[in-house]
Amino acid sequence: MASVRRARADAGPGAGDIRARYRRILRFAAWHLTVTWWFELFLPRLGLARIAERTRTKRMRRFAQRFHVLAVDLGGLMIKVGQFLSSRLDVLPPEITKELEGLQDEVPPVSFAAIRTLAEAEFGAPLELVFASIEETPIAAASLGQAHRARLLPGDAADTGLDSVVLKVQRPGIDAIVDVDLAALRKVGGWLSHVRLVSDRADMPALVEEFAQTSLEEIDYLHEAANSARFAADFADDPRVSVPEVVWERSTRRALTLEDVTAIKITDSEALVAAGIDPAQVAPVFASVMFDQMFTNGFFHADPHPGNIFVTPATDPAAERPWTLTFIDFGMMGEVTASTRGGLRKLLIAAASRDGQGLVTAIRDVGVLVPSADTVELERAMIHLFARFGGMGFAELREVDPREFRDFAVEFGDVVRSLPFQLPENFLLIIRAMSLTSGVCSTLDARFNLWDTVEPYAGQLLRDERGNIVQDVAQQAFDTAGLALRLPKRLDGLLTRLEDGSLAVANPRLEQQVKRLNRSAQRIASVLIFGALLIAGSVLRADDTVLGNVLLAASVLPLLHGLWAGRSGL
């Protein structure tokens, strides 16, 4: 059976395989979205939130295990989706991230015969006439392609100054696989756009299109080569970073030849120590380099997982640094506009200085908050957050009493959920890059504190932003004068609101008590839930009879609850 599957993969997908792949992805998404909706939204409305809480860990683990199987079996962009989920340590529970970690390297290779056929079609000649030698066993197998070590012919070696190279070749049929995966993701994104909890915070179709653009660029190896050259130019004078050279004469859209720069994997602590390199010293350098990419250069590596970064020991004793960070695989890159970069710099400075109000202002400037959002309570939440948890590393946060996090969530959770957050363009890649950076640094040093790297970096940014003390004092004086001019008008408005009784005072704890008293009225929503289940079941029944029938049958429950609630006067 495995040999049959391998043969199909080598030959590329057929029309029947494409349709089956599309339906399988949609069935998986529809089922798990329905399960999540049932437990996290429907049951709590019936007063059965404890059932959802009691089964949440098991459900999350089961979802991750099933997605892991789906991604490994289908490959393609499903691996990329899984890699993204595994990097979201900040918002996803460990039951999901730990299960999906293996997707970073766990991809079955394609047979060398299939790779040879594709490479020879790209080069227009047998591989023996293009390379002096090539290893049939791949050194890496990724979701979109795989890499083989090779040696250049003497003439090419003399022209480039290189001998050992890596030949990166796309998987056969990957274009069709990417197209169908994107079609399925667009469908799922459309579903999510109708869920208000999601649509209020993110434009899912736009995020899918951003992911689509990145994925299509990633399967164009000439685009990757250009990214590599641009990244190398950004760090040409930086001794901390090195980049493999591109052999342009032996590169096409589907086959890419690069300098072989294989060294110590950045998270291989044993190999680092054996080479005389302290992993704890690598972490802050790596974080600083990533900050430079996003906040200074505006062009950053969006896939900095451990397989894409090497630590290369210096071979020359007189070298400026004993080791360098070597980046590879520039297929997924992010670009930050000048305005967004300025907002990110302000955000970093505010976070480093524990300025809650400044942080909220920076979040608004970046575009994560819509301009009309009322941020008074969010500013209070950020000030409280910095006062209690600011400056702590991940190891220290793990030692904090969980009840403190729970108390914070109780007081400010509704504030955060009620605000109209949104994800601006390219933020998906920024979040991914920062999540992976944090994960790599924590692996290198369990007690790594990101603040130790952020604070001096932010201090330099602050000095760059202000220029000199004279300009800063002038700006402060200008701001103060503006505030003084606006103060009489603001006081007059405040007195007017006091006189006509329209002044509103927010008290989150009091509001929560009122919400508890009115919670029973929300059961009227059961009738709306009945309609949603009925419509969803009718739509899905055409493609998936079993799931459609389950939804139609389940719609009876909210209907009965709605009728009962109406008669009982609840």
Side-chain angles (χ1 to χ4, degrees):
M1 186 67 182
S3 61
V4 173
R5 186 178 300 169
R6 171 70 63 81
R8 288 179 178 176
D10 292 348
D17 295 331
I18 290 294
R19 287 192 296 270
R21 181 186 185 91
Y22 180 78
R23 289 195 297 267
R24 184 176 175 186
I25 295 173
L26 289 188
R27 278 198 302 269
F28 181 90
W31 173 255
H32 285 283
L33 284 174
T34 302
V35 169
T36 301
W37 172 83
W38 175 268
F39 281 96
E40 302 298 336
L41 295 178
F42 179 68
L43 291 183
R45 289 183 180 273
L46 299 180
L48 301 175
R50 290 185 179 180
I51 296 178
E53 295 173 0
R54 189 168 59 248
T55 61
R56 185 173 293 128
T57 298
K58 184 177 181 180
R59 284 186 287 109
M60 293 296 100
R61 185 178 296 112
R62 185 184 301 122
F63 162 78
Q65 291 170 345
R66 290 177 177 175
F67 186 87
H68 191 289
V69 172
L70 177 78
V72 171
D73 194 27
L74 294 182
L77 294 186
M78 293 300 101
I79 294 286
K80 292 295 180 183
V81 173
Q83 289 176 341
F84 175 75
L85 293 177
S86 72
S87 69
R88 292 310 307 273
L89 303 174
D90 51 341
V91 296
L92 292 178
E95 292 81 12
I96 291 180
T97 57
K98 288 183 179 179
E99 180 64 34
L100 297 180
E101 282 176 352
L103 287 174
Q104 302 289 4
D105 298 311
E106 184 185 341
V107 185
V110 177
S111 71
F112 183 72
I115 293 296
R116 172 187 285 274
T117 299
L118 193 151
E120 290 181 345
E122 288 295 298
F123 294 132
L127 286 183
E128 289 76 13
L129 299 180
V130 180
F131 297 99
S133 63
I134 183 169
E135 296 181 6
E136 295 189 5
T137 302
I139 58 173
S143 54
L144 305 181
Q146 65 187 47
H148 295 257
R149 279 199 176 93
R151 296 185 62 191
L152 293 176
L153 293 170
D156 291 337
D159 292 338
T160 61
L162 303 175
D163 179 40
S164 298
V165 294
V166 171
L167 174 62
K168 185 176 177 180
V169 183
Q170 284 184 9
R171 285 177 171 256
I174 193 63
D175 290 322
I177 291 174
V178 167
D179 286 343
V180 71
D181 286 359
L182 290 177
L185 290 175
R186 288 186 177 104
K187 175 69 74 173
V188 175
W191 291 345
L192 291 173
S193 68
H194 296 294
V195 180
R196 187 172 181 179
L197 183 66
V198 177
S199 62
D200 284 349
R201 287 158 175 77
D203 184 347
M204 289 307 300
L207 288 178
V208 171
E209 290 308 315
E210 181 182 339
F211 182 73
Q213 179 182 353
T214 302
S215 301
L216 293 174
E217 290 175 351
E218 197 168 358
I219 60 174
D220 182 351
Y221 283 169
L222 290 179
H223 188 271
E224 177 179 342
N227 287 340
S228 175
R230 179 178 173 182
F231 189 89
D234 284 345
F235 288 95
D237 299 323
D238 193 330
R240 301 173 301 171
V241 178
S242 62
V243 180
E245 291 187 28
V246 178
V247 183
W248 291 97
E249 297 79 4
R250 293 291 178 260
S251 298
T252 70
R253 193 183 75 84
R254 298 198 293 172
L256 177 63
T257 305
L258 300 160
E259 175 188 6
D260 187 358
V261 292
T262 305
I264 303 172
K265 188 176 180 179
I266 190 169
T267 52
D268 189 347
S269 297
E270 292 185 4
L272 289 174
V273 172
I277 301 172
D278 184 359
Q281 294 182 358
V282 176
V285 175
F286 174 59
S288 179
V289 168
M290 291 303 299
F291 287 152
D292 279 340
Q293 294 174 43
M294 280 182 278
F295 301 120
T296 303
N297 301 338
F299 184 66
F300 62 94
H301 199 302
D303 196 22
H305 67 76
N308 284 340
I309 303 127
F310 296 120
V311 177
T312 305
T315 55
D316 184 1
E320 184 176 349
R321 292 184 58 85
W323 51 268
T324 59
L325 292 171
T326 303
F327 287 77
I328 64 172
D329 194 352
F330 298 92
M332 186 184 296
M333 302 294 291
E335 193 160 2
V336 187
T337 63
S339 59
T340 302
R341 189 159 67 250
L344 289 173
R345 289 159 71 104
K346 292 177 182 177
L347 191 151
L348 183 63
I349 292 168
S353 58
R354 319 291 198 272
D355 180 2
Q357 185 175 9
L359 183 67
V360 173
T361 301
I363 290 173
R364 188 197 295 274
D365 291 344
V366 169
V368 175
L369 275 174
V370 298
S372 60
D374 184 1
T375 59
V376 174
E377 284 301 316
L378 181 61
E379 289 175 3
R380 193 168 73 88
M382 291 299 100
I383 292 171
H384 182 91
L385 180 69
F386 280 132
R388 176 61 188 90
F389 306 114
M392 289 187 177
F394 291 110
E396 293 172 295
L397 287 173
R398 283 194 290 266
E399 297 172 1
V400 174
D401 189 338
R403 287 175 295 185
E404 292 196 45
F405 293 115
R406 186 166 59 249
D407 291 343
F408 179 84
V410 168
E411 183 168 359
F412 297 107
D414 289 341
V415 172
V416 175
R417 284 190 292 271
S418 64
L419 287 171
F421 287 101
Q422 59 184 4
L423 288 176
E425 183 181 1
N426 223 8
F427 243 65
L428 197 65
L429 295 180
I430 294 174
I431 293 171
R432 172 180 172 80
M434 290 305 297
S435 297
L436 286 171
T437 299
S438 177
V440 169
C441 290
S442 297
T443 301
L444 287 167
D445 182 3
R447 301 198 63 83
F448 174 78
N449 189 337
L450 193 63
W451 296 103
D452 293 339
T453 302
V454 168
E455 286 180 331
Y457 189 87
Q460 181 60 47
L461 285 179
L462 187 59
R463 287 189 291 273
D464 293 343
E465 289 285 322
R466 290 178 174 175
N468 57 63
I469 190 63
V470 175
Q471 290 180 347
D472 183 53
V473 170
Q475 182 63 44
Q476 292 290 339
F478 180 80
D479 292 343
T480 303
L483 178 62
L485 289 173
R486 293 192 300 271
L487 187 58
K489 185 177 180 180
R490 295 180 67 181
L491 287 174
D492 182 63
L494 177 61
L495 291 173
T496 301
R497 293 173 68 184
L498 282 171
E499 290 172 354
D500 62 20
S502 63
L503 181 65
V505 179
N507 187 320
R509 293 188 181 275
L510 180 60
E511 290 172 0
Q512 287 173 4
Q513 294 296 330
V514 175
K515 287 179 181 178
R516 291 192 184 100
L517 294 175
N518 294 328
R519 189 171 296 168
S520 59
Q522 296 178 0
R523 294 182 179 177
I524 299 173
S526 294
V527 177
L528 298 178
I529 296 172
F530 159 71
L533 277 174
L534 185 66
I535 294 172
S538 301
V539 172
L540 290 176
R541 196 166 183 269
D543 292 327
D544 192 328
T545 304
V546 175
L547 179 58
N549 288 336
V550 169
L551 293 178
L552 289 174
S555 68
V556 176
L557 294 176
L559 176 62
L560 293 176
H561 178 267
L563 293 174
W564 174 80
R567 290 183 178 181
S568 61
L570 292 178

